[in-house]
Amino acid sequence: GRGQIAAGREASADSLYRIASLTKPITASAVLISEQAGRLSRTDKINRFLPFPEPAPTIDELIKHVPGLPDYLATPAYQNGRTSPTTVETLLSLIQPWDGVRRYQYSNSHAILSGAALQKVNGLRYEDVVQRDIFVPAGMSRSSFALPPASESFSFSSATHPSWNYAAGGVTSTAPDMNRFNQALLSNAFGFGAVESFDRSAGGVTSFGMGSGVSGGDLRFTHTGLVDSYGSYSVIFPADRASIVV
């Protein structure tokens, strides 16, 4: 395909792209790694780590989009300020309380809370937790939280700053790196269990952050992403130990 349409520049196999919501399984996997290390439990309520009124969802409920919290992307603060850097504290201030109704509705707000909890329990920036626990072990050397340079992939003058997407969608990566992440999941390289072993009863969403489904009798796990004009898609086929990322 084309990396830059107007210039006619070809995209390479290792071109950098904003992967948007494919960040969420990375966040969820980092949560599971911190759970393995005894820093938190998926059954912990989020207000163990962050100010949040009762009723408060558990971390696992956030990963599985159980609460259906209003999406902070719909707020005027995001719409009007997203091209400039922001802080985690600002993002948290945009998240509304939960009324306790289990909506099973997708929301970027859930991952913001999960990422902030990861910061709290690890004593590190979320980005540094992901670098240590995900990027390095999986060999994702091209992945980061920086915008792709103008010389690679697409270039937009009004791109949303990654700090606004944070743990919900802030990662920049390549297709090979994301396949390395998927293969780490398939091989249990992170040590939190086989992907097939996770509960899929919460609308098909798993604790490692990907949705599940069965097609032609075969189980698969998927996630999509969209930010500005970047689109991404990832699918894992556990029976074949294979994955595809576009």
Side-chain angles (χ1 to χ4, degrees), residues 115-217:
L118 274 174
Q119 286 199 171
K120 182 75 171 181
V121 301
N122 285 279
L124 297 169
R125 295 187 316 144
Y126 162 79
E127 294 88 344
D128 295 330
V129 175
V130 168
Q131 177 70 26
R132 180 194 68 192
D133 292 347
I134 303 293
F135 293 166
V136 171
M140 299 168 66
S141 61
R142 293 271 284 159
S143 300
S144 73
F145 290 84
L147 286 171
S151 60
E152 293 198 56
S153 186
F154 298 93
S155 178
F156 300 107
S157 60
S158 59
T160 303
H161 194 274
S163 60
W164 281 97
N165 303 119
Y166 184 54
V171 170
T172 288
S173 190
T174 66
D177 262 15
M178 290 307 298
N179 268 312
R180 292 182 184 101
F181 172 70
N182 288 344
Q183 288 301 315
L185 289 174
L186 285 167
S187 65
N188 193 23
F190 298 127
F192 51 67
V195 291
E196 303 97 318
S197 68
F198 283 87
D199 175 72
R200 302 190 293 274
S201 63
V205 185
T206 64
S207 293
F208 61 91
M210 297 185 79
S212 63
V214 176
S215 179

Side-chain angles (χ1 to χ4, degrees), residues 71-82 94 96 164:
D71 201 316
Y72 79 98
L73 298 189
T75 63
Y78 177 87
Q79 296 296 327
N80 297 328
R82 64 187 177 86
L94 303 178
Q96 298 180 33
W164 281 97

